[in-house]
Amino acid sequence: MKGYCIILMLFLIGKTLVRAQLSSDIEAYISEYKQIALSQEEQYGIPASVILAQGILESSAGKSQLARNANNHFGIKGYGGWSGPVYLAWDDESRKSRFRSYSSAEASYKDHSLFLRNNSRYSSLFSISVYDYRSWSIGLQKAGYATSLNYAKALIGYIDAYKLYTLNGGVKLRAGKTVTITRQVTSVQPVFDADCVMDDSEESEEESEVSRIVNQFVVEINGVRCTIIYPGETIASISQKYDIPQAEILEYNEVSDSKAFNEGDIVYLGKKKKKYNGIQDYYTVKSADTLYGISQQFGIRMASLAKMNGIDIFTKLCEGDKITLQ
């Protein structure tokens, strides 16, 4: 029992270190690119907070294959008259998609601004205040910038969690409130109607959701590399991020449709094992547990788990049942 407690403690410490690393990656990304984002806001009228949130989300804070190999921080594809170099990466298609490749991250940021500014589908956004990051985020989703149904929620969550609204002298905004500036102290220090302002100590719904997902971050289960679906992510974006065909990801996770995944779900990036290699010999079934859920939790192939326990993959589990893991 004592040995188990030590291993559990080390596991929890490991998860804490991983979370800290993820947070430090985001903070380092903000520090490196905030001035570029502010210059884009000044030149093109796109909120710096939204630009950075998109960069964090689309490039996994600069860690995605696309960002590292092609300096593409915003997932912009090489179509629509693009005559520059391209980089091939997996997306939601049966073969690799063509993405724009840039000489630098700064070039990617500028092209992102031009992409929004010169595209008629985003024209209505430029009548919105640069301080109203909520309306901008919702508008980007409605205009079809990304396929994720939670894209706006994810952008707002990162802006709130990392206080990106302060970059241009803005404030944390309440949902559903009209942003009104009552007076302008300086060119970069407005005073807002108190009705639309949320105190920094209050946690917005979007910020809470982003924090919950980030706190579940995992990198390996049962010796198999894996990740989770963050707010605003899809299986297509994970496929692109790790340069793995979407069909293979579905196969690794034993599903046939990407719609089977939800935010916070574990996604394996390699084949699960035939048995569990950890210290735990069996698992006690809890209410609403399924064989598939247990197979994902411990990184075991569902057919192998069923065979070990003398059941089939469709067996309904009962609370209190003991499921052998190895």
Side-chain angles (χ1 to χ4, degrees), residues 58 64-72 75-79 85-101 235-246 249:
E58 298 286 349
S64 72
Q65 294 275 350
L66 196 56
R68 288 187 286 120
N69 296 333
N71 285 313
N72 189 328
I76 300 177
K77 290 188 175 180
Y79 305 122
V86 297
Y87 178 79
L88 300 180
W90 294 106
D91 192 33
D92 54 356
E93 299 168 3
S94 58
R95 60 183 180 179
K96 287 190 173 184
S97 297
R98 293 162 57 89
F99 288 88
R100 299 184 184 187
S101 182
I235 292 300
S237 66
I238 290 174
S239 169
Q240 175 193 314
K241 184 194 300 185
Y242 295 100
D243 200 22
I244 302 172
Q246 188 173 165
I249 293 177

Side-chain angles (χ1 to χ4, degrees), residues 41-147:
E41 176 182 300
E42 183 178 358
Q43 190 171 356
Y44 296 102
I46 305 163
S49 57
V50 173
I51 293 172
L52 268 180
Q54 282 194 283
I56 291 167
L57 184 59
E58 298 286 349
S59 76
S60 296
K63 301 297 183 183
S64 72
Q65 294 275 350
L66 196 56
R68 288 187 286 120
N69 296 333
N71 285 313
N72 189 328
H73 286 241
F74 299 94
I76 300 177
K77 290 188 175 180
Y79 305 122
W82 174 254
S83 58
V86 297
Y87 178 79
L88 300 180
W90 294 106
D91 192 33
D92 54 356
E93 299 168 3
S94 58
R95 60 183 180 179
K96 287 190 173 184
S97 297
R98 293 162 57 89
F99 288 88
R100 299 184 184 187
S101 182
Y102 305 98
S103 58
S104 65
E106 187 169 1
S108 175
Y109 269 70
K110 182 167 185 177
D111 189 54
H112 167 260
S113 296
L114 292 171
F115 178 79
L116 295 182
R117 192 72 190 181
N118 297 332
N119 195 321
S120 60
R121 71 161 66 178
Y122 304 112
S123 59
S124 63
L125 295 176
F126 291 88
S127 62
I128 302 172
S129 167
V130 292
Y131 300 108
D132 192 353
Y133 62 86
R134 282 184 167 272
S135 293
W136 263 90
S137 298
I138 293 166
L140 281 168
Q141 178 174 318
K142 286 183 175 179
Y145 190 95
T147 57

Side-chain angles (χ1 to χ4, degrees), residues 181-197:
I181 297 174
T182 57
R183 59 192 172 91
Q184 197 85 31
V185 177
T186 68
S187 61
V188 293
Q189 191 180 354
V191 176
F192 297 83
D193 181 353
D195 187 49
C196 72
V197 178

Side-chain angles (χ1 to χ4, degrees), residues 148 150 153-154 209 212-213 216 229-233 261-265:
S148 171
N150 293 318
K153 186 177 181 181
E209 183 65 11
R212 182 186 71 79
I213 300 298
Q216 291 181 1
I229 299 185
Y230 288 95
E233 278 195 325
F261 292 97
N262 298 303
E263 282 185 7
D265 283 352

Side-chain angles (χ1 to χ4, degrees), residues 238-258:
I238 290 174
S239 169
Q240 175 193 314
K241 184 194 300 185
Y242 295 100
D243 200 22
I244 302 172
Q246 188 173 165
E248 287 186 17
I249 293 177
L250 296 179
E251 181 185 340
Y252 296 152
N253 291 273
E254 302 181 279
V255 295
S256 58
D257 191 342
S258 61

